[in-house]
Amino acid sequence: TGPITLFMDRVFQNEINRCIDAATKAYDKLLFREAVQAAFFSLQIAKDNYRAAVEVMHRDLALRFIEVQCLLLCPITPHWSEHVWKLLGKSGFAVDAPFPVAGAIDAVLVRANDYLQHTVKTLRERMQKQALPKKKKDAAPAEPAR
């Protein structure tokens, strides 16, 4: 709880907003597969990246994630959404709740996170490559099998 000040907290909040925006646009065009892609898969990836980057998830952001995913998937999975809605302690029905509205999407934050993710991936690949045993250059070529 408290204010959202950490970089990764802001990135996760921004990713939630991006997923809301993408799912809303997909639903408006009746592109249900793309809506599920944004509402479930992209949102899960954002949550997984966030969990990997921080020691403790911001409680308010975690609850926002659950609520947003519940409401975004409600048109596709109404029974699951109602179950999650009750687990969140919300009153009424999820189908009657207002659809989530995306906040402002910070393009600079998106680019900064993309750069950070790319840098981490490259660093891990290079560290893994460095840890492999080196091949001997002077090794004799293997004899052909007969």
Side-chain angles (χ1 to χ4, degrees):
T1 60
I4 295 171
T5 56
L6 295 177
F7 173 76
M8 289 310 296
D9 290 344
R10 292 186 4 245
V11 165
F12 185 47
Q13 184 177 41
N14 201 48
E15 290 299 311
I16 291 172
N17 289 332
R18 287 179 65 193
C19 291
I20 293 170
D21 186 55
T24 302
K25 287 177 180 174
Y27 278 128
D28 288 345
K29 295 178 183 175
L30 301 177
L31 301 172
F32 298 111
R33 189 172 134 212
E34 285 78 4
V36 170
Q37 175 68 36
F40 183 76
F41 295 104
S42 295
L43 209 46
Q44 286 295 122
I45 290 169
K47 186 249 322 165
D48 291 343
N49 289 340
Y50 175 60
R51 268 188 35 200
V54 296
E55 290 181 22
V56 178
M57 291 177 72
H58 193 283
R59 187 179 195 285
D60 296 337
L61 274 178
L63 291 173
R64 169 89 173 135
F65 160 78
I66 296 167
E67 182 177 335
V68 164
Q69 191 165 59
C70 173
L71 293 174
L72 289 179
L73 290 173
C74 196
I76 307 291
T77 59
H79 295 91
W80 176 85
S81 295
E82 292 299 339
H83 177 72
V84 171
W85 192 253
K86 295 298 179 204
L87 290 176
L88 287 171
K90 302 286 185 176
S91 61
F93 296 104
V95 294
D96 294 331
F99 204 74
V101 177
I105 297 171
D106 186 348
V108 174
L109 200 55
V110 172
R111 288 181 47 209
N113 184 50
D114 288 346
Y115 175 77
L116 179 65
Q117 295 297 326
H118 175 73
T119 303
V120 167
K121 180 182 175 195
T122 303
L123 180 63
R124 286 183 180 148
E125 288 171 352
R126 289 183 181 174
M127 287 176 61
Q128 191 176 34
K129 185 178 178 182
Q130 196 70 14
L132 293 175
K134 294 185 178 185
K135 294 180 181 178
K136 295 182 181 178
K137 291 183 180 181
D138 297 334
E143 291 186 30
R146 294 184 183 191

